[in-house]
Amino acid sequence: MKRVLGVLSGNDMPLAQIEAWARSAEVVLAADGGANALEQLGIRADAAIGDFDSITTAARQRPLETVYDPDQDRSDCDKLLAFAAGRGYEAITLCNIEGDRLDHVLATLHSAARSSLTVRLALRRGLGLVLKGECEATFTAVPGETLSLLPLETCEQVSLTGVGWPLSNQQLSPQGKTSLSNQVSAERISVKIESGSAVLILTATRLAQPTW
């Protein structure tokens, strides 16, 4: 599976961190103003997608391909994810997403939940994974790290192991039970949901560098 990176325009991730992710990726896509950071780094994106209301002239000239999409009913993140899916990619890692606007962060999570792709989140201090529908994921962690599992909608039959406060066939929902700031207690974490969508966030400084 190709290492596909999508760079958004959150302007929160240090340029050196974006560079490390971009240079370790096999495909680099930019959502509108996300191309500005790549232009500053001298990195040519494979494609830039969006309505181009925040991309600079210099950055727009650098990508190998530009896809102008003025649709105001979809965010630039929606357009980037649809483009990646249309090219046949199965998974993507998004970076530069945290920014200083909560509405943009929430919209990005909603875009990821709607997408047919497996969507990971490269964060300044860790990694995130958007879980959708009937799914199960297992990954390694370090005991003592912090893990949160936050539902984006009602999730049924949620199980979480390898943490201090495990879950077994629980219902999670934005209006009800969540798992915030749980503590990793084992080197292997397993999460399973039967339906719904949620974001799992592992906060760990060691993950500041690319982890595919």
Side-chain angles (χ1 to χ4, degrees), residues 26-100:
E26 296 173 276
V27 178
V28 178
L29 307 176
D32 204 338
N36 297 339
L38 295 172
E39 194 274 332
Q40 291 181 63
L41 293 166
I43 296 174
R44 173 169 287 187
D46 293 275
I49 304 97
D51 59 9
F52 300 144
D53 63 348
S54 59
I55 191 173
T56 66
T57 301
R60 187 169 180 176
Q61 293 173 345
R62 180 174 287 273
L64 294 174
E65 180 180 358
T66 56
V67 181
Y68 173 63
D69 186 340
D71 185 357
Q72 293 301 303
D73 290 330
R74 298 189 301 158
S75 70
D76 289 325
C77 183
D78 285 325
K79 297 167 189 176
L80 180 145
L81 294 174
F83 176 87
R87 290 298 168 94
Y89 303 128
E90 298 178 9
I92 190 169
T93 298
L94 300 178
C95 75
N96 206 27
I97 69 172
E98 296 172 78
D100 61 355

Side-chain angles (χ1 to χ4, degrees), residues 94-114:
L94 300 178
C95 75
N96 206 27
I97 69 172
E98 296 172 78
D100 61 355
R101 286 188 55 176
L102 181 59
D103 54 345
H104 282 183
V105 176
L106 292 173
T108 295
L109 295 177
H110 292 166
S111 296
R114 285 191 295 267

Side-chain angles (χ1 to χ4, degrees), residues 113 131-133 150-156 172-175 195-198:
L131 304 164
K132 296 170 283 187
L150 304 176
L152 300 174
E153 61 181 321
T154 299
C155 298
E156 301 291 351
L172 302 185
S173 76
Q175 298 82 22
S195 64
S197 60

Side-chain angles (χ1 to χ4, degrees), residues 3-210:
R3 298 191 300 272
V4 182
L5 181 70
V7 183
L8 304 190
S9 54
N11 294 327
D12 62 282
M13 182 173 275
L15 286 176
Q17 199 172 351
I18 295 175
E19 182 174 22
W21 277 101
R23 295 202 183 281
S24 68
E26 296 173 276
V27 178
V28 178
L29 307 176
D32 204 338
N36 297 339
L38 295 172
E39 194 274 332
Q40 291 181 63
L41 293 166
I43 296 174
R44 173 169 287 187
D46 293 275
I49 304 97
D51 59 9
F52 300 144
D53 63 348
S54 59
I55 191 173
T56 66
T57 301
R60 187 169 180 176
Q61 293 173 345
R62 180 174 287 273
L64 294 174
E65 180 180 358
T66 56
V67 181
Y68 173 63
D69 186 340
D71 185 357
Q72 293 301 303
D73 290 330
R74 298 189 301 158
S75 70
D76 289 325
C77 183
D78 285 325
K79 297 167 189 176
L80 180 145
L81 294 174
F83 176 87
R87 290 298 168 94
Y89 303 128
E90 298 178 9
I92 190 169
T93 298
L94 300 178
C95 75
N96 206 27
I97 69 172
E98 296 172 78
D100 61 355
R101 286 188 55 176
L102 181 59
D103 54 345
H104 282 183
V105 176
L106 292 173
T108 295
L109 295 177
H110 292 166
S111 296
R114 285 191 295 267
S115 173
S116 62
L117 300 175
T118 296
V119 180
R120 294 198 318 161
L121 310 171
L123 307 173
R124 287 170 294 175
R125 295 179 54 209
L127 284 174
L129 174 65
V130 178
L131 304 164
K132 296 170 283 187
E134 185 177 0
C135 63
E136 186 171 2
T138 302
F139 53 94
T140 58
V142 174
E145 292 177 340
T146 301
L147 181 147
S148 293
L149 180 60
L150 304 176
L152 300 174
E153 61 181 321
T154 299
C155 298
E156 301 291 351
Q157 299 297 302
V158 180
S159 295
L160 177 64
T161 62
V163 293
W165 296 274
L167 301 172
S168 178
N169 297 321
Q170 298 286 304
Q171 182 192 77
L172 302 185
S173 76
Q175 298 82 22
K177 185 180 181 66
T178 65
S179 181
L180 177 66
S181 296
N182 210 328
Q183 189 172 65
V184 174
S185 61
E187 294 182 354
R188 199 163 187 82
I189 304 295
S190 179
V191 60
K192 181 178 180 180
I193 67 174
E194 185 177 274
S195 64
S197 60
V199 59
L200 184 149
I201 298 174
L202 179 65
T203 302
T205 303
R206 66 183 177 87
L207 295 175
Q209 292 301 311

